[in-house]
Amino acid sequence: MFPAMVLAAAFSSQQCWDIFDGALRHNAQGAHPAYISYEERISVTGDDLPILYSLAHVDYRDDGTARVLDQRFDYLPIYTHHAEPGPPELGPYGKARSLWLPLEGARDLPVITSVHVLGNITCNVADIEEYKGHRSYRLVFGNLAQNKPAIKAIWIDVASQDVWKLIVSGYINFVDANQAPPLADFQVELGYAGPFLVVNHVVWQLRQREYSQYANYFGEYTLSGFTFPNRLPSNYFEPGP
C-alpha cells in the first residue's frame, strides 16, 4: 500500500475538519495589526510575453479598506475594499473573528462537545510534509462547485497551526471582456514579518480559449517591505475634497 493511502486511512474526515477549524481559530485568536503597509510588485504575462508590470505601495486597514498608490495610475491614491490580489493577511477578518472565539463569560468553562454540520465538501489529509522547513499537514478539499471560488488545498503547521500556503480558485477579470470572468487557481504563500503572519507571494495561471486557439496567462504578485503603523490619520483612507 502506498504511503499516501496509509496516511489517508489514518486520518478521518472529521479529523481533517478539526485541523482546518483549529487553524482558523488559531488565526482568529492571534494578534492582528490595525494597519499594514507594504510594497507590491505586479507582473502578468501572456504566452511568456509581458502584458503588465507595475509597482505599488499599499496601506491596508483591518476593516478591509486599502489605500493604493500604483505606478499604472501615476501613484494617485485609489481607495478600495478589493486590494489586488487580496488582503495581505488571512481571514477571518474584522468582526468575523469573534465567531471563532469563545463567548465572553464562557472562556474558562470546559468544552463538553464539538458539533460539525457536514456539507457536500470533503476534507482529506493528503500528506504530512516539509514545507519550507515546516512540518505541515496538506489538506485537500473535494466535491467543490466548478463555477464558484473555493479553497482547494491548505498547508497547516503541525506544531503551531500557522497556515503557510493555500490553493484557492478565484475570478480573473479582463478589461472590456464580454463574458463572465474565468476562474483560475491562486497559490498563496505566507511568512512572518516581525510578529505577524502575512501573505508575501501569490501566483496564478490560466489557459483561456481565444477564438480558434488558446492563450496561457501567468500572474505573479510579490509583497515585501511590511511595516505595521500604530495609527494613521483619520482621513487617510478617504478621498480628498
Side-chain angles (χ1 to χ4, degrees):
M1 185 177 289
F2 294 105
M5 296 175 64
V6 174
L7 185 67
F11 287 90
S12 68
S13 176
Q14 180 65 65
Q15 288 172 309
C16 183
W17 285 117
D18 287 342
I19 294 168
F20 178 76
D21 288 353
L24 287 183
R25 191 173 300 110
H26 166 72
N27 196 59
Q29 291 173 331
H32 290 266
Y35 303 98
I36 305 176
S37 297
Y38 57 95
E39 308 301 322
E40 183 175 30
R41 181 173 61 83
I42 306 162
S43 173
V44 179
T45 61
D47 293 329
D48 296 325
L49 298 175
I51 294 177
L52 168 65
Y53 181 86
S54 190
L55 302 174
H57 174 85
V58 183
D59 297 296
Y60 176 83
R61 191 168 65 187
D62 191 39
D63 65 356
T65 306
R67 181 179 188 268
V68 183
L69 306 177
D70 194 307
Q71 185 182 42
R72 288 172 287 180
F73 310 109
D74 295 326
Y75 294 106
L76 296 175
I78 298 170
Y79 305 89
T80 179
H81 281 85
H82 303 282
E84 182 184 0
E89 60 174 350
L90 290 185
Y93 304 106
K95 295 180 180 179
R97 292 194 183 102
S98 63
L99 300 175
W100 291 90
L101 303 178
L103 296 174
E104 291 296 332
R107 294 179 181 273
D108 297 325
L109 297 178
V111 176
I112 298 176
T113 186
S114 177
V115 178
H116 290 257
V117 178
L118 296 178
N120 294 326
I121 298 174
T122 61
C123 179
N124 294 291
V125 180
D127 202 357
I128 298 177
E129 61 187 41
E130 291 291 320
Y131 180 78
K132 294 187 177 180
H134 305 282
R135 191 164 181 263
S136 304
Y137 297 110
R138 178 166 63 89
L139 310 186
V140 176
F141 302 92
N143 201 30
L144 304 170
Q146 297 300 309
N147 58 347
K148 294 181 180 180
I151 299 176
K152 293 189 170 183
I154 184 170
W155 283 252
I156 298 172
D157 195 292
V158 170
S160 69
Q161 296 185 304
D162 287 335
V163 174
W164 299 119
K165 181 180 177 181
L166 304 98
I167 298 177
V168 298
S169 59
Y171 294 116
I172 301 293
N173 291 295
F174 288 88
V175 176
D176 298 328
N178 56 5
Q179 57 186 1
L183 281 172
D185 285 349
F186 290 74
Q187 294 193 39
V188 182
E189 296 179 288
L190 297 98
Y192 271 94
F196 301 112
L197 189 63
V198 294
V199 175
N200 56 32
H201 190 229
V202 179
V203 298
W204 58 266
Q205 297 184 65
L206 176 67
R207 181 173 171 82
Q208 177 83 340
R209 185 177 180 85
E210 296 184 354
Y211 302 104
S212 62
Q213 53 192 348
Y214 286 86
N216 296 293
Y217 295 97
F218 178 80
E220 181 177 31
Y221 305 83
T222 303
L223 286 61
S224 61
F226 289 94
T227 61
F228 308 96
N230 290 325
R231 63 177 60 188
L232 289 171
S234 60
N235 62 348
Y236 197 71
F237 292 88
E238 300 174 1

